[in-house]
Amino acid sequence: MLYYIETFMNNKILSVFGGFVALCVFSLLFSCSNSAQENSVDSDTPTLRYTAESLYKSTVWTEEVEPDRLTANVSSANGISSRITLSPLVVLAGKTSDSERLYPVLGGFGSLDTSLISPALREMLTLFSDSISKNKDADSFMVQECVYSLALFYNDFNKIFSDCFELDKKAKTDSEKKSDFEKSEKDVEEPPLFDSFVFGQPFLDGLYYEVPVKFFSKKATLTLCVFCVEKSGSWKVDQVQIADWEILDGKK
């Protein structure tokens, strides 16, 4: 009886031991299989790190430009107070000699940048505008074959400002003065219709300069487009157009 029991126990132990050994062998084989699969995947599909390192090594890098300047701590600049915190915009604003000049803008008229108007053109425009302000003859400033443009301008001008400046009354007074001219040494200078005028930024169209001119008085304002062209070394007016006007004590 004891013999059979001992034999049964020995067989049971051997069976358990055999199962444990079989489990270990199976686990080892499965692990090796997974490792082989992972190695196969790694070899076929490069990792992100491998791709990044490959790109870095294959890239041709240029030499760093001004490394000291890029890392320098700039806390001051010439022409800028040390009390002002520096920024790119502050430095740019401080370099007035390198920055574009700023010109005032007149509402409803435009920029007053007249840097493109040459001294000779400015002189002619000034004399022409002065004649318009005083409602005097300006034929001498016109291109000979374009005098009709000035006549059309004065025709429109008289229609617009006849009541404002009492042009009919002035014309009658001027006529009476001419009849009595022999009795007086010279005519009395009449006050101008417009007290002042300004030039605006010109528009260039080939050889022609379109210069806006605005006239001011207590009674009205007038904006003209004066087309100028250089003829035989001197500037002349090719055409005059009324661009805008306003009667200050009335309506357009």
Side-chain angles (χ1 to χ4, degrees), residues 3-22:
Y3 171 78
Y4 288 108
I5 293 173
E6 183 178 358
T7 301
F8 175 77
M9 293 298 295
N10 289 337
N11 289 337
K12 193 70 173 178
I13 293 172
L14 289 174
S15 177
V16 173
F17 179 74
F20 176 75
V21 171

Side-chain angles (χ1 to χ4, degrees), residues 2 8 89 102 107 122 136 142 147 152 155 166 181 183 207-208 213 216 243-244:
L2 293 173
F8 175 77
L89 291 177
L102 297 178
R122 182 183 294 274
K136 288 187 175 182
M142 302 294 297
V147 176
L152 294 176
N155 182 64
E166 300 179 342
F181 178 73
K183 298 179 181 179
L207 299 176
Y208 291 86
V213 184
F216 302 89
D244 192 22

Side-chain angles (χ1 to χ4, degrees), residues 73-109:
N73 181 17
V74 180
S75 58
S76 62
N78 293 333
I80 301 177
S81 173
S82 59
R83 294 177 296 177
I84 299 177
T85 303
L86 291 185
S87 68
L89 291 177
V90 170
V91 175
L92 181 62
K95 293 183 175 296
T96 54
S97 59
D98 300 331
S99 302
E100 184 179 356
R101 292 184 177 181
L102 297 178
Y103 294 88
V105 175
L106 187 61
F109 180 68

